[in-house]
């Protein structure tokens, strides 16, 4: 991990305004880049979505993930899913709507949205290293019913670079939870995607409106540039 004694500062060209971050107290949080959302036959498709809409986020996330690994930044991957006995899956979630398959039903990548099944796993392009943190979450937000707060406190994290899928669902819910807990969140615009392009656009606008009511928004190029041009103080 980065040394916390000498701040390494970078300025991200973000909206609604530039933000300076100390990388030693910043984590990259990658939300739910799972086969269940990204590939045909998973949870996302059972809800009636065109999963090909999400592929565009993979390359930008890969570039920031590589830079984060190179600098020693804390990397957190999240996965939405439920225990095999569904004891952490509220009936209100399981019984909702008219999906082609419900949570827990057998599908082509194993049981839909169940921990340990192939569909629940993270896509190979962004697969976590053994040294990275994986947070399994039953809800849309990464803080609800997880150990994320403890992990971030343990590493002295104050700022989050957030990306993943989907923009208006799990990314937005996590950013709202994080904002209320005092974290500065920078959402990587091209590192997020939605099944609905208009929700992606609005989901980002909602974060940066009103002077950054929930956080900041920057594209992956701006984040990479800030990491490259960082200065060490002291
Ligand atoms: N359906 C949808 O857009 N998203 C989710 O159900 N979960 C996440 O966003 N990860």
């Amino acid at each position: 991990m980065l040394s916390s004694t000498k701040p390494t500062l970078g300025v991200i060209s973000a909206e609604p305004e530039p933000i300076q971050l100390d990388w030693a107290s910043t984590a990259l949080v990658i939300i739910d880049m799972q086969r269940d959302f990204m590939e045909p036959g998973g949870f996302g498709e059972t809800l009636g979505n065109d999963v090909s809409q999400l592929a565009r986020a993979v390359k930008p996330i890969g570039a920031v993930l590589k830079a984060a690994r190179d600098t020693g930044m804390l990397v957190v991957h999240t996965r939405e899913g439920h225990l095999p006995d569904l004891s952490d899956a509220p009936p209100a979630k399981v019984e909702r709507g008219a999906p082609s398959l419900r949570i827990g039903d057998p599908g082509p990548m194993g049981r839909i949205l169940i921990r340990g099944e192939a569909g629940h796993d993270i896509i190979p392009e962004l697969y976590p290293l053994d040294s990275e943190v994986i947070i399994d979450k039953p809800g849309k937000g990464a803080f609800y019913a997880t150990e994320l707060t403890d992990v971030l406190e343990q590493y002295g994290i104050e700022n989050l670079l957030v990306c993943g899928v989907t923009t208006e669902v799990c990314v937005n819910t996590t950013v709202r939870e994080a904002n209320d807990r005092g974290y500065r969140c920078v959402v990587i615009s091209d590192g997020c995607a939605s099944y609905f392009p208009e929700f992606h656009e609005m989901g980002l606008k909602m974060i940066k409106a009103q002077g950054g009511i929930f956080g900041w928004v920057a594209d992956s190029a701006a984040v990479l540039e800030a990491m490259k041009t960082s200065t060490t103080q002291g």
Side-chain angles (χ1 to χ4, degrees), residues 32 37 43 47 49 80 137 140 165-166 168-170 195:
D32 299 1
F37 296 104
F43 178 63
L47 300 177
N49 296 307
E80 180 180 345
K137 60 188 186 64
K140 304 305 183 193
V165 297
T166 61
E168 81 282 12
V169 181
C170 291
Y195 300 118

Side-chain angles (χ1 to χ4, degrees), residues 31-46 51-52 54 58 78-80 107-114 116-128 165 195:
I31 304 287
D32 299 1
M33 292 300 288
Q34 298 162 252
R35 300 182 65 195
D36 252 321
F37 296 104
M38 305 295 298
E39 295 184 17
F43 178 63
E45 194 178 73
T46 68
V51 296
S52 71
L54 305 189
V58 175
T78 72
R79 299 186 296 203
E80 180 180 345
M109 294 188 287
R111 294 177 66 202
I112 298 292
L113 213 61
I114 297 296
E117 301 287 346
H120 179 262
D121 214 350
I122 291 172
I123 59 170
E125 298 94 313
L126 303 174
Y127 210 76
V165 297
Y195 300 118

Side-chain angles (χ1 to χ4, degrees), residues 75-219:
V75 177
V76 177
H77 304 256
T78 72
R79 299 186 296 203
E80 180 180 345
H82 297 284
L83 296 168
D85 66 2
L86 296 182
S87 57
D88 61 352
K93 182 177 182 182
V94 178
E95 295 165 3
R96 189 167 313 185
S100 57
L101 294 171
R102 290 194 188 276
I103 295 169
D105 286 349
M109 294 188 287
R111 294 177 66 202
I112 298 292
L113 213 61
I114 297 296
R115 292 186 194 178
E117 301 287 346
H120 179 262
D121 214 350
I122 291 172
I123 59 170
E125 298 94 313
L126 303 174
Y127 210 76
L129 300 178
D130 287 344
S131 57
E132 294 170 351
V133 175
I134 299 177
I135 298 289
D136 280 316
K137 60 188 186 64
K140 304 305 183 193
F143 288 85
Y144 169 68
T146 73
E147 67 280 22
L148 182 56
T149 301
D150 292 341
V151 170
L152 297 178
E153 277 177 11
Q154 186 191 326
Y155 285 93
I157 298 299
E158 298 172 4
N159 319 301
L160 307 179
L161 302 178
V162 187
C163 55
V165 297
T166 61
T167 315
E168 81 282 12
V169 181
C170 291
V171 172
N172 248 273
T173 304
T174 297
V175 167
R176 289 166 190 230
E177 287 182 327
N179 182 59
D180 278 349
R181 287 164 173 78
Y183 296 97
R184 297 177 198 89
C185 295
V186 180
V187 177
I188 304 171
S189 53
D190 53 341
C192 299
S194 168
Y195 300 118
F196 306 90
E198 67 273 31
F199 290 176
H200 171 77
E201 288 304 319
M202 284 300 167
L204 297 175
K205 279 189 178 171
M206 285 178 194
I207 288 162
K208 68 186 179 188
Q210 304 184 60
I213 196 79
F214 297 121
W216 289 255
V217 177
D219 64 15

